[in-house]
Amino acid sequence: MKKEGWSIKKLLISLVIIFIIFIIFSLIFKNIKSAFRKNKKSEEKEIEQTEKVDRVTYTYTDLENRIKLAAERYQNDNYQGTLESTETIILKYQILKENGYISSKLIDPNDSSEECNGYVKFIKQEAKISYIPYIKCSDNYKTEGYYSSYTE
């Protein structure tokens, strides 16, 4: 029986192979890690750009239109008047928000830390219906004719 043990040559070849495998795995891991970082950074940039666009693209008129559309949907679902009636109803922003007709807050376009308040005046004169939105965004904006007593 021939007893062969590990020679120095076999040991060095094994260590070189293990070292090469280690280098390959570390390079693969490094590439995967950097790809995830790049992907995460690009997602963060995209979110940041979207937020900037959102801040820049909406106006006080857009907020008035949002609350007006919410009031229209609310009245379509809940109003039970007759064709001959004449009425005026105040629909508060808080009621529209609580009932899910406005899904996100009305944020002041000039101060993202401030939430606007408001109401919509629903006026029905026989078959004619009109909706007039009013908002107030801190000291930055107030729709002409806005009465704060309607929102209290």
Side-chain angles (χ1 to χ4, degrees):
M1 239 174 153
K2 195 174 184 186
K3 291 185 179 179
E4 267 189 49
W6 279 82
S7 67
I8 297 283
K9 184 178 178 182
K10 288 182 181 178
L11 179 64
L12 288 176
I13 291 173
S14 298
L15 288 175
V16 168
I17 291 173
I18 291 172
F19 183 72
I20 291 172
I21 291 172
F22 176 76
I23 290 175
I24 291 171
F25 278 120
S26 64
L27 290 174
I28 291 171
F29 180 74
K30 183 179 177 182
N31 287 339
I32 291 173
K33 192 174 178 181
S34 68
F36 279 124
R37 265 196 219 129
K38 286 179 185 177
N39 191 24
K40 187 175 180 179
K41 284 181 183 179
S42 67
E43 285 176 4
E44 288 172 355
K45 283 181 183 178
E46 186 176 313
I47 290 169
E48 185 178 304
Q49 289 173 347
T50 303
E51 287 174 352
K52 284 181 184 177
V53 168
D54 286 345
R55 277 187 237 130
V56 173
T57 59
Y58 71 92
T59 64
Y60 294 111
T61 302
D62 294 331
L63 296 180
E64 290 169 341
N65 287 334
R66 277 185 56 208
I67 194 170
K68 178 183 175 184
L69 291 172
E72 289 175 3
R73 287 193 310 273
Y74 180 87
Q75 286 300 93
N76 286 337
D77 291 346
N78 298 294
Y79 181 68
Q80 311 225 344
T82 62
L83 284 175
E84 299 83 31
S85 66
T86 299
E87 10 184 1
T88 300
I89 300 171
I90 303 298
L91 296 167
K92 296 179 184 180
Y93 163 65
Q94 200 62 30
I95 290 170
L96 297 171
K97 190 169 125 184
E98 287 172 3
N99 288 292
Y101 290 93
I102 294 181
S103 58
S104 60
K105 295 178 180 180
L106 296 178
I107 302 298
D108 188 336
N110 291 326
D111 185 358
S112 61
S113 66
E114 290 291 327
E115 181 176 6
C116 301
N117 200 356
Y119 59 92
V120 176
K121 192 182 278 189
F122 167 77
I123 303 170
K124 183 183 174 306
Q125 296 173 333
E126 297 178 1
K128 183 182 176 198
I129 296 175
S130 59
Y131 297 88
I132 306 168
Y134 297 91
I135 63 168
K136 182 178 188 299
C137 300
S138 63
D139 293 329
N140 295 329
Y141 178 81
K142 181 168 70 172
T143 306
E144 189 175 328
Y146 177 90
Y147 293 108
S148 59
S149 61
Y150 287 157
T151 57
E152 296 172 355

